[in-house]
Amino acid sequence: MGPVKRKGPPTEEKKTKRLRKSELESAKENAEKLPPSLARPTKLSILGEEEPAFPRGGASILTPLEHKQIQIDATRDVLFEQSASRKPGGAHSDSGSDGGEANGASRAPKKQKTKRAKKDKKANAKVEEEENSVRIESLSYKRTAPGTLVLGQISQLNDHDIALALPNNLTGYIPLTAISDQLDRKLDDIMRAGGDSGSEDSSEDDVDLKSYFSIGQYLRAYVFATSEDTGTTAKGKKRIELSIHPRLANRGLSKQELVINSMVQASVTSVEDHGLVMDLGLDDPKIRGFMSSKEVGHNVDHSQIREGAVFLCLVTGLSSNGNIVKLSADAQKAGNLKKSNLVVEAPTVDAFLPGTAVELLVSEVRHDGIVGKIMGMLDVTADLIHSGGATSGKDLDGMFRAGDKIKGRIIFTCPNSDPKKLAVSTRQHILSLTPMKAFQGKDTNEKKEPTEMLPISSIIEETKVAKVESNVGLFVDVGVKGVPGFVHISRISDRKIESLSESTGPYKLGSVHRARVIGYNPMDGIFLVSMEQKILDQPFLRVEDIEVGQVVKGRVEKLIINAAGAAGVLINLAEGISGMVPEMHMSDVKLLHPERKFKEGVNVTARVLSTDPSRRQFRLTLKKTLVHSEAPVFKTYEEVTAGSQCPGTIVKILTSGAVVQFYGYVRGFLPVSEMSEAYIQDPSQHFRIGQVVNVHVISVDAADKKLQVSCKDPSAFGLAQQAASRKLKVGEIVHGSVLEKSGGHIVVELEGSGLKAILLLAHLTDGSEKKDMSTFKKIRVGQMLRDLVVLEKAENKRLITLTSKPSLVEAASAGKLLTQFDDIKEGNLVSGFVKNITLSGVFVQFAGGLTGLIPKRFLPEETAPLPNFGLRQFQSISATVQSVQHDLQRFLLKIADNEKPKEVVATTTDVIGGSSRPIINAVDGESTSIDDFVFGKLTKAKIASVKATQINVRLADNIPGRIDMSQMFDSWDEIVNKKSPLRKFSAREVLPVRVMGIHDARNHRFLPISHRGANVPTFELTAKPTDLQSVDLDVLTLDKVKSGSSWIAFVNNVGNDYLWVNISPNIRGRIRALDLSDDVSLLNNLDDNFPVGSALKVHVINVDPEKNRLDLSARSTPPSVSLTHDQLAKGMVLPARVSKVTERYLVVHLSESMSGQVDLINLADDYSEAHPTKYTKNEIVGVCVIDLDIPKKRKILSMRPSRVLSSSLLAKDPEIMSLAQVKVNDTVRGFVKNIADSGLFVTIGPNVTAYVRITDLSDSFIKDWKAAFEIDQLITGKVIAVDPLLNHVQMSLKRSVIDKDYVPLVTFHDIKVGQVVTGKVRKVEEFGVFIVLDGSANVSGLCHRSEMANKNLVNPKKLYEEGDLVKAKVLKIELEKRRINFGLKASYFKEGGKNGEVDGDDSEVADGGEVRETSSADEDGSSEEGGVDLENVKDFESDEEGGHDEKSDSDEEMDNRSATKDKGGLSAGGFDWTASILDQGNKRVISDSESGSDVEKPKKKRRKPEIKLDRTGELDANGPQSITDFERLLLGQPNSSYLWLSYMAFQLQLSEVAKAREIAERAIQTMNIREESEKMNVWIGLLNLENTYGSDETIDEAFKRASQYNDAQEIHERLTSIFIQSGKNEKADALFQTMIKKFSQSPRVWLNYATFLFDNHSSPASARALLSRATQALPTHTHLDLTSKFAQLEFKCRGGDPERGRTIFEGLLTTFPKRLDIWSVLLDLEVKQGDQEQVRRIFGRVLGLGLRAKKAKFFFKRWLEIEEKWGDGKSVDAVKAKAAEYVKGVAAGEHDT
């Protein structure tokens, strides 16, 4: 073993540390008494001969103990010298005296000195022994200093941190940011992604720590902080912050300390095929770790380990250079110390870190632990718990002896100890690095987790004291073998206990007590127990102990107040456990003064709503309806079943329904149709947030966490009724009994189904209203009504409408009643009834709400002058279909002159049937009684009607029967029409049948013949040839159906994921959509391809008679429900259901337990069409298995048509499955897989990825090449290299490589002097511009400012911007410096200007050398494209209006334009782009000449402004008459909304709606931002335009934009006005609904809505209901004024009720009798009403209030004016008399003055 290196000498501060006072006094006494020879004892040197005289680095060769001893010796020397100096004669006392007395005197003190010296010597030896002894360390919060390394075990994984159990009952916490560099980078990426998308979710929520770590895993942690929070409680909450980052956990390790069998901490850098690459966090980045896949751990798949995970690993080997460290995280290997996985030798003591197993030599055994050494140098200690003394029940003296060699594992370091010291543990579970296990019983070796056997919070009735530590606590037996409990001395009793004794006292050894488990530390392997009575009585110790739905008792701790008022209540259930009661759960009703009810300390009873143990939070409710409810609670979706009932709380109200919160996190949706049996239009008017509702479950989907509930009576409409309602068809003939009669309708209960339907009075007969009423009176409750036709059915409202009109019944029986639009044929005679009559014609309704129109011209001529054309509503009518418009779903009818509306006399017997009748006209001619129809009887039946799934027959006129379609055919070949097998049968046909049983129409089920009831039953029949010929009829039952058998099934119902089919009347099966057909194309439209009634060949895949479940399949391949990986094969084509859609891939489900992913590369044969988003969730697609790895359960799926449909299909992008298919020079396409620093990785096949270097990306230089590409981008490239050995493919994206006709880029050597080129301005400087040439390899040059104009120097920054297109001439080329000089002077291009435009029709070239594309923006005079800011060009003379002249349509202006076009310059915005204006200075030349000369002077004459002024004058006189006129006016008044709106109106007169929109957009962009009112006018005009000419989408888009740029409330109000004026009241109502939610604090909104409901919507009830809602939403000070205005609406509006208004005013005047303004308003309203008596009464009441003289004078004067207008002389005199009387009262002091 090499020499052990130590960490340098102690600091000077430690060297000069003072001795304790007692030590100093003792040292003084000893120094005074001892002779010099004893005062300076000589000691042997502890230095070995091998120690060097001058250690390396100048460090001391002495140990810290030697330093300490030297310090003590030096102190004694100093004290002795000081003592000697104080007694000068003392040194010569022996020789300075001659007398015996002196001698005697000198000898006596000498003996006394000797005794005291011996006594002090013993004391010094004891002090020295204590100082030299090693202290046994136990970890505590105070001793846990930052920098401590400690071994811990994961006890809990939270959302944001990890709880790590530490030795000695401590717990530390590891935040997310203190784990590893890899996880830190992932968090940064998530934060950046979350910031870009505006997500509010925390980034930590996206990292699941449970996928990185496991409970019980051992880790080494670094303490970086300790904190104590004393803000909430008197006793601070202590917290230890840890880090497991390898850089800190391996602190102090270097390359030489990495010895085999030591433990290091490492994080996963990457996951490879054969193992994991690990990061050790050392300073040397070359040192990396590698862990083989076999070393990860038993039954651990290394591929599932995530990057960033951290492991405590065993060093198993090193590479030759030491840079690669072989690691193992297998606990069985690292914890197996029998194979000597110990560190015996190490180069330095830094190699010994927590987690490392060592062999130690026991040097001392004490009662509280053991002391030992490692390698004879390093001190280690093990306390009572970790030496095993606390758990074994034995004394440590009997377990260990000094000199024993034992094995231990380091558990923490002591950074502040000097010399260095470590703590170890000899406990078996720490040595083996496994979680602590306990024996389950005395007679078994099975082990379990200790907390499973004894959960925390458990109460132990008999706890036996096993060991007593007098000043620490008790070790007790808790009944778990091998795991003791520990009771701290502070936890023994509620009163304080000073000390404990093993032999005496109540807590002596062997005593038994009652205790409670309060915790468990897996590192110590000890339960933490309390014997305090308050803990035993406490109901809860943790949030985990609280059950959801439990009724608990607590006390009010605090009322939480926020800006809105009371936000909730904190309820304390136990010490340290408080729950929150949200505001809505404080009471069943809204509390006005919650502070009065919830005072601190008040006891309450609550119920637990939900718990969140990870956050230590739980919610409670104080609603009595929930607390006292005895209904079972809904805690999870899995516990909820259809039909179960539970109260819930409404937490959100929508227009479509409400969201109901139950317990836990269970939420359900309550549709508006399920809120009540009555119709509800607005749920918010009937329900409120926080209201408790009793609901029952309609449907539940636990997988998707979806729950639908209903408030309706479950017994009124159960599952059977729902199924019957779905089966009931419009146009079907039914029978029913009368349940109820009211004024205008009859409630009928349908026979067999129990459904309730409505039969209107007007639908009783075809006759007149009198005949309808006569028939209605004859109908009695309980009577049977026969031959009723289902007219309409609204399943969402559970409303069924019937008719008994004979004309409609006859049409329905004959199959001629119109029920859907496809039934309408031109020329057919159809029967219906009058729905509505207008001036233009008559609307006729049929079944199913189908409505046609009889125009006025198609009515008989003699009916034209009659009122309502001689018709009435609901009158029966027959008409001929004249025309059908399929695209508009409209049809027209016609009544010929000879066809008049029916007025048929109907008899009561047509409607009312008898309740029981004998058999009439039996079809077989033999049967006389119902009893004749017994089981197996052969008889005959006549077909009454043919339905999709059955044939309704009559055994007699009054005996119904049915033949299920499954009882019609024996074999598949007999079925001719597979989609409609029963079509070959027709009404009135007679069939031979055999009686099978009874059909229960109410529950839709088959019953034996013995279940015949009192009423006439419906017989279940069979017409199968085999059944007719058999001797004994055998009814098929489910137990006779075997798996694998084949059957013919008939579709009974079509669902989203299943088809329900019948194989017999009493056996119903289910077929998953994926198992319906091998042809995937049929599966996306089940309703059309598998309609109700269609036949299928199926085979049984599963049958469960106990659950009455039958699973079928119609596929030839294995069914999806049982499909496994082992059944898959390459090339297999399967149907799959899309379960997830992203922009990068699809996730499809092949079966209920197997799913797969389809990537972009496998979506289509043409990669351009590979768009995953075109697929929708739950869509069924066909997939092909193209690759398979059964052991790893991996598969590659493809949706290419060439794979799924036919391999002969041509694929634009062939499938590349292997590298062998790729050849050099192949042009392929693929998707970008990754963008790395070195280039692109492109996916060109499922298993083939190509690499593109940066140099192969483009022929030209790309500055930011990464920004030019994105993940999953489709690119085209050519293969330039293939390496089969390395499995590498290299591609190039250069056009020069891909394109054969590629023209090479222009290079520097291709440029010649004098050449004219085009380019783009790359950079603009004060001295010139840099130009990069078009079509070049980034060849650029400089144009100096002197080469831009012919004469004067110019400022380039005012002429050009980066990106401007220019034309330049090459003036000079410097080959050596690779420089090019360009010129842009106009003179260089004179020849080009004469010859015409250089770039053709698409561009114009200016003399200044700039080239820019022409566009509509140029025609408008815009300068945005040109790169010149005209506002900054102040040195040039230009006419801004000249640019707008280019838009003129006049001939004169066009001539002027043609005269200037030959100049070769482009005029835009009044700026001369030829740059020749620089030569003109500041001169202005005005001329009237319009000559086309080439000189400059005539050019200026053309642009004089006086012409425009003259035309503007004409516009002022005549107004704008053309587009040009408007444009000129807008130049002078760009902020005039009147002009812009007039311009829009002008375009609309020309039917140019699009241009009118463009003008509005121009106006919004042009008008000054400060002109808010003017801009508002334009926005309103745009909304009007979209309302009149646009669609709902365009007006919504304009409305949203207008709300963003203007006052949102005003825009909403303006749009409602627009809707109301245009008669779109429904849209106005919807917008008002939005406004009262968005602007609920505005009284004006509520008042406007109420006015609208009164006047326009004819909904006074809704308007009145607004008042209560408004007062709840608005501040209190607005209530009076708002209530007054609502009352005024009752007087003013058409739908108002003045009497209601008076009632409201009376209520206000009762509360505010002195408010004269309210009296005045009421008087004004009553005067307008004209009720004179009421007015006089009000005046009398007002003047009787004792008003002041001034106010009374006002009312008397007004009363007098009204009486002079209305009354006579008497009434006028009466008013005057009252006034005189009042004046007398004032004079007498009876009234105030």
Side-chain angles (χ1 to χ4, degrees), residues 98 272 406 516 523 825 864 927 936 1123 1199 1211 1572 1634 1725:
D98 296 331
E272 307 298 336
I406 61 175
R516 190 171 189 177
M523 276 294 290
K825 307 295 180 184
S927 303
L1123 192 64
M1199 288 172 53
E1572 295 181 359
T1634 303
L1725 296 172

Side-chain angles (χ1 to χ4, degrees), residues 217 544 610 793 957 979 1415 1435 1503:
Q217 181 179 348
E544 291 87 343
S610 63
K793 184 182 70 167
D957 288 354
K979 284 191 176 182
S1415 64
D1435 300 333
R1503 304 174 61 202

Side-chain angles (χ1 to χ4, degrees), residues 565-576:
V569 183
L570 279 181
I571 303 296
N572 180 261
L573 303 184
E575 182 180 354

Side-chain angles (χ1 to χ4, degrees), residues 565-587:
V569 183
L570 279 181
I571 303 296
N572 180 261
L573 303 184
E575 182 180 354
I577 299 180
S578 296
M580 175 71 174
V581 179
E583 186 269 336
M584 71 167 63
H585 281 280
M586 291 167 58
S587 176

Side-chain angles (χ1 to χ4, degrees), residues 999-1032:
H999 178 69
D1000 182 4
R1002 179 185 294 270
N1003 299 313
H1004 298 279
R1005 58 177 179 171
F1006 172 82
L1007 297 175
I1009 197 72
S1010 58
H1011 284 62
R1012 187 179 304 177
N1015 295 329
V1016 178
T1018 300
F1019 286 95
E1020 192 75 56
L1021 308 171
T1022 177
K1024 279 187 176 182
T1026 54
D1027 290 341
L1028 298 177
Q1029 297 171 6
S1030 64
V1031 178
D1032 296 327

Side-chain angles (χ1 to χ4, degrees), residues 440-459:
Q440 188 171 1
K442 297 181 179 180
D443 301 330
T444 178
N445 292 327
E446 184 180 355
K447 293 184 177 182
K448 296 180 66 175
E449 293 286 342
T451 52
E452 292 182 14
M453 301 178 64
L454 187 63
I456 299 175
S457 299
S458 300
I459 294 179

